[in-house]
C-alpha cells in the first residue's frame, strides 16, 4: 500500500483524491489545506491538517506528497519545502522556469534521499513525453502541439478585466482544417491564427456596451489580436449552467517523410471533460512511479521523460509483458 | 558516436539503415546478410558480412546490433546468439512467446553485461507503451487497440492459398463507426466484426472462378469468417502498381469516466505509409536507448515499458527539459 498525502484541496486536489480511490494499492492518509476546518467537513474520514503543519504528527506516515497548489504562488515554495521531508509529485507548469525549478528540487531531493517528480500531468507531462517520442522516432519530422477545446484561465481573466464585463469564459479551439493538413502529411509553418481560434462567452452589464466590449476583446494584444476570436454574449444563468465544467485536451502530432516520400504520422489526442480530474489521475500514477523509483534506489528530481513507463502501473513487469506488450 | 550493426537486410533492415542516416550520433558499421554478395552490391560503403560470421573481424566495433530478421524463424535463434556478444534491439512480435523470450534474453544479457531491448517497434512497442499509460492513468477505463489501414501478411497468405488465386493482398481496416463510438465516450464490448473489416485484392486465374474464390475467402474460418470482408478482383498489373507499398498504422484508445460522469478519452494514432521504414526508425532510437541504458549501468533485457523516454532522444536531459517539457 502506498501512503499518499495531498497538499492543497482545490479542483486538482479533489481530482487526485478521486483518482486515489480508483487505485487499490493507494491510500490517502492526510490532506493539508489552507482552510482545514472547511476541508475537514468535506472529508469526514481523512485527517485534514493546516498547510503549515510541518513536521506532521508522528502517527501520519506519508510515502509521497502530491502538491496540488498553483504553479505561480504555491508550488515554487511548497515543492522545496515538502521535498525536504517527503518524496513529492507536482504539476509545476511555468514552462520557462522548469529548468531552474528542476535544479532546486533535484538538489534537495538528493540531499534528503527522496524522489521528486516535477511538472507532471498532461502538458507538461504526457504531451512532453509524446513530443520527445515524436522527435526521437522521426528526427527529420515536424512536431506540433495544439490545445483545446478547453478553457484557458488566463484568457478568461483577461476578458473579465474589461470594463462592463461581469464574467467571461474563453475556450481555446484548435483549427480543424490545420489539423487535417498535418494529418495528410503536410508540414506547414504555422502562425498563431492558423493553429488556434478563440471563443469567448461574456456576461455584460448592459447590451448597449456589447459592441465596445467585443472590439476590446478581439483587439487585445497578446491575448486575442493574433487569433480569430468569436465573442458570444450570454446571461449569467447560461454561464452558470453551461460553462461550469473545465473541459480541455489537445493534440501532439509529428509528421515526417521517410524513404521514397512515405508519409509517417504520429498523433496523440486527449479529449477531457474534466481537466483537473484527468490531471489528478495522472498525478496519482506519478506518485506510484515516485514510490517505485525510490524503492529501486533512485533519488533526485525527475520529469515524466525520466520515468520507465512500467513504474506508473500497479502491475508487475512480468504481468505487463504478458498482458500489455 | 554510436556504432551500429544490422542483422538481416530485408525491408526492415533497409528501414533501419535509412533511419540511422537521419541520426547524426549514429554510424552503421556492418550489415550481416544471408546473401552478403548481393547485399554488398547495394551497400557500397558499408562492410557486409555473412550472417554466420561470428565473432566479427577485430576492426569492426559494434555497440548495438539491430536484429531485423523474422520473428518466426530468425529472432528466436539470432537474439540469444547475438546477445552473447553485443547489446541488441529486436522487434520480436510473437505476443504469446514474449515472456519466455524475455527470460532467455535477460539471462544471457545479464551474464554478458549487455542490454537487450526486445519486442520494440510500434506494436509491440509504442502501442504497448500507450496501452500501459492508458491503464495506469485511467484504471477504471476501457482500452482498445485497432490496427490498420494496413496490410496483414498472414491474411494475404491465407487468401493466396486458395485454388485459382495468383496473388492476394489483404488490408485490415478499423471500423470507423466503432472508433467514433469510443471517441464519444462510450465503452462498448466489441466483437471482431465490430472492430475491423477486411478488404482483399485478388488476382485470379480466370473470371469464371471469381464467385467460388470470393466465397472461399469470405467463409474462411479464423481468418475471414468473423469479419465483414470485401473481395475485389484486379489484374496483376494493378496489383503491382497499386499495392506494392506496405502501409499500416492503428489506434490505441482508452476511455473512462471520472467524477460526475466526466468522459476522459486518450487516443493514440499512427498513420504509416511504410510500416518497415517507421519500425526501422523506432528500432534506431531504441538502439540509442540500449546504448544509454548500458552506459548508465543497466544490464539485462528490457521492453519499451522499461526505458525512460529521454533515452530515445539524442538530446541531453537538460536540453529536453528546456525544449520539450
Amino acid at each position: 500500500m502506498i501512503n499518499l498525502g495531498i497538499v492543497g484541496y482545490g479542483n486538482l486536489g479533489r481530482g487526485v483524491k478521486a483518482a486515489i480511490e480508483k487505485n487499490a494499492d493507494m491510500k490517502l492518509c492526510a490532506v493539508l489545506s489552507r482552510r482545514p476546518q472547511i476541508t475537514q467537513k468535506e472529508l469526514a474520514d481523512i485527517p485534514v491538517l493546516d498547510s503549515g503543519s510541518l513536521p506532521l504528527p508522528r502517527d501520519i506516515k506519508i510515502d509521497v506528497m502530491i502538491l496540488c497548489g498553483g504553479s505561480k504562488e504555491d508550488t515554487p515554495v511548497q515543492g522545496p519545502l515538502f521535498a525536504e521531508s517527503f518524496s513529492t509529485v507536482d504539476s509545476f507548469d511555468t514552462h520557462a522556469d522548469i529548468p531552474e525549478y528542476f535544479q532546486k528540487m533535484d538538489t534537495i531531493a538528493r540531499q534528503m534521499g527522496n524522489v521528486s517528480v516535477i511538472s507532471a500531468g498532461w502538458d507538461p507531462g504526457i504531451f512532453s513525453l509524446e513530443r520527445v517520442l515524436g522527435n526521437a522516432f522521426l528526427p527529420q519530422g515536424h512536431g506540433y502541439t495544439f490545445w483545446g477545446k478547453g478553457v484557458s484561465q488566463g484568457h478568461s481573466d483577461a476578458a473579465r478585466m474589461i470594463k462592463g464585463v461581469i464574467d467571461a469564459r474563453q475556450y481555446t479551439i484548435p483549427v480543424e482544417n490545420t489539423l487535417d493538413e498535418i494529418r495528410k502529411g503536410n508540414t506547414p509553418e504555422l502562425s498563431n491564427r492558423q493553429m488556434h481560434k478563440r471563443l469567448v462567452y461574456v456576461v455584460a452589464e448592459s447590451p448597449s456596451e456589447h459592441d465596445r466590449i467585443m472590439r476590446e476583446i478581439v483587439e487585445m494584444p497578446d491575448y486575442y489580436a493574433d487569433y480569430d476570436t468569436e465573442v458570444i454574449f450570454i446571461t449569467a444563468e447560461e454561464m452558470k449552467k453551461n460553462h461550469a465544467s473545465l473541459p480541455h485536451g489537445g493534440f501532439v502530432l509529428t509528421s515526417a517523410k521517410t524513404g521514397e516520400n512515405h508519409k509517417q504520422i504520429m498523433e496523440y489526442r486527449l479529449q477531457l471533460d474534466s481537466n483537473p480530474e484527468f490531471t489528478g489521475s495522472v498525478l496519482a500514477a506519478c506518485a506510484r512511479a515516485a514510490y517505485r523509483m525510490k524503492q529501486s534506489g533512485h533519488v533526485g528530481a525527475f520529469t515524466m521523460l525520466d520515468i520507465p513507463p512500467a513504474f506508473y502501473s500497479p502491475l508487475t513487469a512480468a504481468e505487463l509483458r504478458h498482458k500489455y506488450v
Side-chain angles (χ1 to χ4, degrees), chain A residues 105-121:
Chain A
M105 292 295 280
D106 192 51
T107 303
I108 298 170
R110 279 177 195 273
Q111 274 171 0
M112 309 311 291
N114 289 323
V115 166
S116 284
V117 176
I118 72 155
S119 301

Side-chain angles (χ1 to χ4, degrees), chain A residues 84-99:
Chain A
E84 290 200 2
S85 309
F86 306 97
S87 286
T88 62
V89 172
D90 68 58
S91 59
F92 184 70
D93 68 356
T94 311
H95 286 260
D97 297 340
I98 287 173

Side-chain angles (χ1 to χ4, degrees), chain A residues 218-294:
Chain A
V218 168
E219 294 173 359
M220 191 185 298
D222 300 335
Y223 284 91
Y224 290 102
D226 296 342
Y227 302 85
D228 289 339
T229 300
E230 186 179 1
V231 179
I232 295 174
F233 291 92
I234 59 175
T235 64
E237 290 69 39
E238 287 172 311
M239 181 65 85
K240 195 175 166 188
K241 185 174 159 224
N242 300 329
H243 302 283
S245 69
L246 292 164
H248 220 311
F251 300 80
V252 176
L253 296 117
T254 308
S255 170
K257 286 181 181 143
T258 63
E260 306 282 328
N261 207 27
H262 289 135
K263 295 169 189 167
Q264 315 277 27
I265 298 155
M266 307 167 71
E267 174 174 348
Y268 186 83
R269 177 184 193 181
L270 289 175
Q271 253 186 287
L272 310 172
D273 274 0
S274 166
N275 184 357
E277 287 172 9
F278 183 74
T279 302
S281 301
V282 178
L283 296 193
C286 286
R288 179 187 290 118
Y291 178 80
R292 294 247 191 116
M293 295 280 280
K294 183 167 170 175

Side-chain angles (χ1 to χ4, degrees), chain A residues 32-53:
Chain A
L32 278 71
S33 163
R34 282 220 183 77
R35 295 166 301 174
Q37 287 169 330
I38 296 170
T39 305
Q40 186 68 75
K41 276 183 197 153
E42 194 178 327
L43 298 174
D45 303 338
I46 295 157
V48 177
L49 305 163
D50 187 274
S51 308
S53 45

